[in-house]
Amino acid sequence: MRLLILLIGLLTVGLVAAKSAPGRMAVRYDNFKVYQVTIETDLQMEELRKIHEHITVHFLNELAGPGRTYNLIVGPLFQRSLEKTLNFLEIVYKVIVEDLQKLLDEASVGDDSHMEWETYHTLDTIYDWVDQECAAHDYLECKVIGKSHEGRDIKGVRLSKRSGNKAILLEGNIHAMEWISSATVTFLLNQLINSEDPEMQRLSEEYDWIVVPMVNPDGFVYTHEVERLWRKNRRPNGHMNTTGACYGIDMNRNFDYHWGGAGWNIDEPCDHWFGGEEPNTEVEILSLQDFVSSFDDGYIRSYMAFHAYGQYVLLPYGHSNTEFPPNYEQMQRIAAAFSDAAAEVYGSTFTYGASGLLNYVVSGAAKDWAYGVKNIPFTCTVELRDKGTFGFFLPSNQITEVGIEVTAGLKALVNKAQEEGIFD
Ligand SMILES: [Zn+2]
């Protein structure tokens, strides 16, 4: 018996230690460099696509085409041969991060004992905070909208202080590694609940807010415990490569609207942007879709998905750069209001426009499904800070500033959308 207690005690200590030790993940990146390469020609693009055949490399951006820069992570063992290859191919490059692990440590979880917005938090702390707010306020309706592949809760919050309001939906962390997404979505929810700013209080009175802070809990936990750079969910996807079974689907490529159209990259089922064999295969996004569809048609008038990075407000469509939504100009005016207001706070500029035009042509994203299938008249993907200095590893000391600038942008966006008749 005493031994059992001792064992349980040791196990508990072990678990606590594992949970509260930032930077102690299974996969480490000591002395890994991040290279930024500028691809100018089709031939360089073709060679870059094949570079993984002889160099172990982790691409941080989806490979679209020439005329762009791409960031790649390479470990100490392969840095010399990468540099030789790039020089041989006359590909211009620079090292933007000298030691990736150092950067990851600065963008890790700090004091996780309670929720605040000066550090990143674990899923448990985020969900505990959501539960506490739900218990404290009658106007919040909270529920588990579904379970992830590994059985974790996907939580949805609906804030409604007045009947007859129209709603705005905020979606967080569909991509696991983009921690700033759920940090910002919870920041916004906290503002809507607890802010003393009269304008914020008015927005929380006059509109309903539907918040799904964590669409991808399995991937998120995986980025905390095993591999900080994970993007997809964690379902074994039925494919193998030299390292074994491949996991996950890029859930923001799996929505069923013009799915599998131009720009599709289905040959690489093990890469970070694999959108599945067919649309709507992932339980996480089916839960989200069912939740959205559980409301009356016409109730949700705006759908905003939060991502990192690049500072964009990406509008529909993603599947084309020649076809535009019927109210594209109206959506641009609304996005411009966000962009102008956000820039006023700390000078961060957000570029806005159709994602197929600004980013690259790719389909299966939530904002296109919300617009094209659910007929929500204003939808967007907000790519948060920054423009590439820290990229996916935005240091924790920027979380509050991002929250504040996005709050300013959101206020202007809602007011402009109101003026444009989006909520009529
Ligand atoms: Zn993303």
Side-chain angles (χ1 to χ4, degrees):
M1 184 66 189
R2 213 186 292 164
L3 183 68
L4 188 67
I5 291 169
L6 185 69
L7 269 174
I8 291 171
L10 280 174
L11 270 172
T12 316
V13 169
L15 284 173
V16 169
K19 209 188 141 192
S20 60
R24 298 295 302 267
M25 267 186 269
V27 180
R28 290 186 60 85
Y29 289 92
D30 298 286
N31 300 312
F32 278 58
K33 289 183 180 174
V34 182
Y35 291 83
Q36 184 169 80
V37 300
T38 304
I39 300 298
E40 282 152 359
T41 67
D42 287 326
L43 182 69
Q44 289 176 338
M45 194 71 231
E46 212 177 294
E47 293 298 326
L48 186 67
R49 281 184 198 282
K50 290 190 298 199
I51 215 157
H52 62 88
E53 287 170 12
H54 60 281
I55 293 171
T56 303
V57 53
H58 180 125
F59 287 105
L60 281 171
N61 320 94
E62 199 164 4
L63 297 179
R68 295 171 175 277
T69 61
Y70 298 96
N71 292 352
L72 30 136
I73 299 170
V74 176
L77 213 56
F78 290 99
Q79 286 162 3
R80 274 193 56 175
S81 84
L82 175 80
E83 290 172 15
K84 266 169 113 176
T85 308
L86 294 174
N87 287 332
F88 176 73
L89 295 167
E90 297 181 335
I91 294 176
V92 176
Y93 70 90
K94 59 181 178 187
V95 175
I96 57 169
V97 177
E98 287 287 343
D99 182 357
L100 180 58
Q101 189 61 45
K102 245 180 92 186
L103 191 61
L104 292 180
D105 291 343
E106 282 159 24
S108 65
V109 177
D111 176 6
D112 193 36
S113 60
H114 67 284
M115 189 69 172
E116 38 66 46
W117 288 268
E118 278 162 24
T119 185
Y120 293 106
H121 293 286
T122 58
L123 182 68
D124 287 346
T125 301
I126 295 171
Y127 273 178
D128 286 349
W129 174 76
V130 168
D131 293 344
Q132 284 158 20
E133 292 297 325
C134 289
H137 304 283
D138 288 341
Y139 57 82
L140 294 177
E141 188 191 321
C142 303
K143 62 183 205 177
V144 174
I145 66 168
K147 295 272 188 188
S148 66
H149 175 73
E150 292 177 348
R152 294 187 178 86
D153 288 348
I154 301 167
K155 296 192 179 197
V157 179
R158 177 168 166 258
L159 182 162
S160 180
K161 293 184 177 174
R162 214 172 67 170
S163 66
N165 281 350
K166 294 289 168 62
I168 297 152
L169 190 144
L170 310 177
E171 175 212 288
N173 247 137
I174 199 167
H175 287 146
M177 69 201 282
E178 297 168 11
W179 291 1
I180 190 65
S181 168
S182 54
T184 303
V185 168
T186 51
F187 185 98
L188 293 173
L189 179 60
N190 186 49
Q191 292 291 306
L192 289 162
I193 297 169
N194 297 313
S195 173
E196 284 169 13
D197 169 23
E199 178 65 356
M200 227 37 213
Q201 289 178 347
R202 187 180 69 77
L203 293 188
S204 116
E205 265 321 304
E206 294 182 2
Y207 301 90
D208 287 2
W209 296 83
I210 299 168
V211 181
V212 183
M214 183 60 63
V215 181
N216 184 5
D218 294 350
F220 188 71
V221 168
Y222 194 72
T223 61
H224 281 264
E225 293 179 354
V226 184
E227 157 67 281
R228 176 65 183 88
L229 307 184
W230 194 255
R231 174 180 171 94
K232 303 182 280 185
N233 68 351
R234 290 295 303 163
R235 184 175 69 81
N237 69 22
H239 293 272
M240 305 274 288
N241 67 8
T242 49
T243 61
C246 299
Y247 286 80
I249 302 292
D250 182 340
M251 295 199 285
N252 210 37
R253 300 285 183 275
N254 192 241
F255 284 80
D256 194 7
Y257 184 69
H258 289 268
W259 181 88
W264 200 245
N265 183 15
I266 204 160
D267 333 328
E268 300 291 345
C270 298
D271 83 9
H272 305 292
W273 302 275
F274 180 54
E277 317 275 359
E278 52 184 323
N280 285 347
T281 49
E282 304 313 296
V283 285
E284 293 87 351
I285 67 160
L286 291 172
S287 302
L288 176 63
Q289 292 179 13
D290 287 347
F291 184 49
V292 170
S293 300
S294 70
F295 299 102
D296 290 343
D297 287 348
Y299 169 62
I300 302 173
R301 307 299 291 169
S302 174
Y303 187 112
M304 302 178 69
F306 289 84
H307 287 252
Y309 59 93
Q311 295 173 206
Y312 292 104
V313 181
L314 300 173
L315 302 170
Y317 298 122
H319 69 270
S320 170
N321 55 15
T322 50
E323 188 195 339
F324 296 92
N327 68 332
Y328 180 55
E329 287 185 7
Q330 181 188 51
M331 282 197 279
Q332 281 187 296
R333 291 193 292 272
I334 296 167
F338 176 96
S339 177
D340 292 347
E344 262 177 46
V345 192
Y346 300 109
S348 309
T349 51
F350 285 79
T351 310
Y352 54 89
S355 66
L357 204 61
L358 282 190
N359 224 357
Y360 41 84
V361 173
V362 68
S363 60
K367 66 146 185 1
D368 291 321
W369 171 84
Y371 183 85
V373 176
K374 299 312 290 181
N375 299 312
I376 297 173
F378 179 85
T379 74
C380 66
T381 297
V382 181
E383 298 282 357
L384 298 162
R385 282 195 199 180
D386 53 13
K387 284 173 105 61
T389 310
F390 297 106
F392 290 114
F393 323 111
L394 197 71
S396 353
N397 64 12
Q398 294 198 33
I399 300 171
T400 308
E401 284 193 8
V402 171
I404 292 170
E405 73 194 6
V406 172
T407 303
L410 185 66
K411 286 197 255 185
L413 178 146
V414 173
N415 290 331
K416 186 67 180 169
Q418 179 71 52
E419 189 189 311
E420 291 279 347
I422 291 290
F423 297 100
D424 293 349

